[in-house]
Amino acid sequence: MASSCEILLALPFEQAELAGRLARLAAAEVWRIEQRYSRYRPDNLFAALHSRPGQAQRVDAETARLLNFADQAWRLSGGRFDVTSGLLRRVWTFDGSDRLPDDDAIKALLPLIGWQRVTWLSGTVDSSGEVAGGSLTLPEGMELDFGGIGKEYAADRALGLCMKAIPARWRQSGMLINLGGDLACNGPRAPEQPWRVGVESPHEDDQQPLLLELWRGGLATSGDSRRYLLRNGKRYSHLLDPKTGWPIEQAPRSVTVAAPSCIQSGLVASLAMLQGASAAEYLNSIGLPHWVISE
């Protein structure tokens, strides 16, 4: 997941064996998702899909759910949340330097970006609400990138598996999955004791984190504290507009959102950042708890 990951379990010391088993279960699920959907592996599902452009390819139920989620996010964002925009990494490197890509190089990639160019046919939904796979056709040169939803999905999945595996007598014990700051928890760490979470300040001269109390559900932050460029006093965020290939203008430095699940938290935080100067207005319209840090 390209970040530090941890699982916190509020179990008695004598349950160390159970804690180890749950931690291994969570780690295995996170690794499974990483290996399956990473855009950097030459031997996984995405590599296979990318190797057959122009062909209708069947995908399994799990991938279909994620593609349906991506399709909904694309529609909600007016096309700004786009899982085909990962190709822009070829020209943008957000390493804190002042190196901006050539505009012609950006424009050369734009014809290969746009979810509307992909043919996605979701399978039918059964009586339990499960999606029965689907059919995907990627045009030549286009790729999928789940970087905007992968960690959040993995956090939710890891928590869900641990909740199913833990014995009933310990089911009320607090569990928190932390994948690089994307969090999912089943409840407080102890009765009347929420998890205390620190959100890193995006301002380099402010070492005091934003301290939040998390009782249940997901928490995710989107911001530019670590991935940005700085040129002639102007800061360029890593959040790119797939329609132009350039960073979103006037976005907040950081948006944190709490929601019933981590994937919901991450999506709303990203959608808010993609609104630019209208981020706060958008968040107020959604009605979820949120924290915005601007310049």
Side-chain angles (χ1 to χ4, degrees):
M1 295 291 167
S3 58
S4 298
C5 304
E6 63 181 350
I7 175 172
L8 303 179
L9 303 166
L11 288 167
F13 181 77
E14 59 268 21
Q15 294 299 318
E17 181 179 346
L18 172 61
R21 179 155 50 87
L22 293 173
R24 289 190 294 273
L25 179 66
E29 179 65 2
V30 172
W31 276 115
R32 181 190 71 82
I33 293 169
E34 166 77 15
Q35 291 167 0
R36 191 160 208 250
Y37 297 115
S38 171
R39 61 181 179 261
Y40 297 111
R41 293 180 65 92
D43 57 352
N44 65 358
L45 173 66
F46 270 12
L49 292 173
H50 298 159
S51 69
R52 293 189 289 272
Q55 300 179 35
Q57 304 178 69
R58 295 293 301 173
V59 300
D60 61 277
E62 179 181 41
T63 305
R65 289 195 303 271
L66 289 169
L67 288 173
N68 281 343
F69 186 84
D71 177 73
Q72 183 182 31
W74 178 79
R75 297 176 188 279
L76 288 172
S77 67
R80 283 185 166 177
F81 189 100
D82 195 317
V83 293
T84 70
S85 65
L87 285 174
L88 290 167
R89 69 182 180 276
R90 295 180 181 177
V91 294
W92 286 96
T93 302
F94 293 96
D95 56 3
S97 70
D98 64 352
R99 296 188 297 272
L100 299 182
D102 182 78
D103 191 49
D104 289 338
I106 296 173
K107 290 178 178 177
L109 291 175
L110 295 183
L112 302 177
I113 296 170
W115 177 249
Q116 72 279 7
R117 297 184 171 97
V118 175
T119 302
W120 166 237
L121 301 174
S122 178
T124 58
V125 179
D126 63 24
S127 58
S128 67
E130 181 70 21
V131 178
S135 174
L136 178 77
T137 305
L138 283 169
E140 180 76 39
M142 292 188 67
E143 296 181 1
L144 298 175
D145 184 343
F146 280 175
I149 59 177
K151 280 195 301 181
E152 296 90 340
Y153 172 67
D156 288 333
R157 282 282 307 174
L159 179 65
L161 288 181
C162 286
M163 286 296 295
K164 289 180 180 179
I166 194 169
R169 64 173 298 198
W170 299 113
R171 200 154 291 159
Q172 298 305 312
S173 301
M175 290 188 284
L176 184 143
I177 309 293
N178 176 8
L179 304 184
D182 292 326
L183 312 178
C185 76
N186 66 327
R189 60 183 303 171
E192 305 305 318
Q193 293 183 30
W195 298 97
R196 291 181 59 81
V197 177
V199 179
E200 182 182 49
S201 172
H203 299 297
E204 295 178 1
D205 58 350
D206 182 6
Q207 301 303 313
Q208 182 66 37
L210 173 67
L211 294 178
L212 303 176
E213 293 185 346
L214 183 62
W215 290 87
R216 183 181 302 277
L219 189 77
T221 299
S222 181
D224 69 353
S225 63
R226 296 183 180 272
R227 299 179 61 200
Y228 65 92
L229 295 175
L230 190 62
R231 179 80 170 265
N232 296 328
K234 182 176 181 178
R235 193 181 185 94
Y236 294 83
S237 167
H238 73 282
L239 285 161
L240 301 172
D241 187 336
K243 298 179 180 180
T244 66
W246 283 85
I248 297 291
E249 296 280 347
Q250 297 181 287
R253 293 292 306 279
S254 171
V255 170
T256 300
V257 175
S261 68
C262 188
I263 198 168
Q264 289 175 300
S265 301
L267 175 62
V268 174
S270 295
L271 293 184
M273 293 289 287
L274 291 169
Q275 299 297 316
S278 301
E281 181 181 352
Y282 168 79
L283 288 165
N284 290 333
S285 72
I286 296 297
L288 291 171
H290 59 271
W291 299 263
V292 178
I293 300 177
S294 300
E295 292 289 353

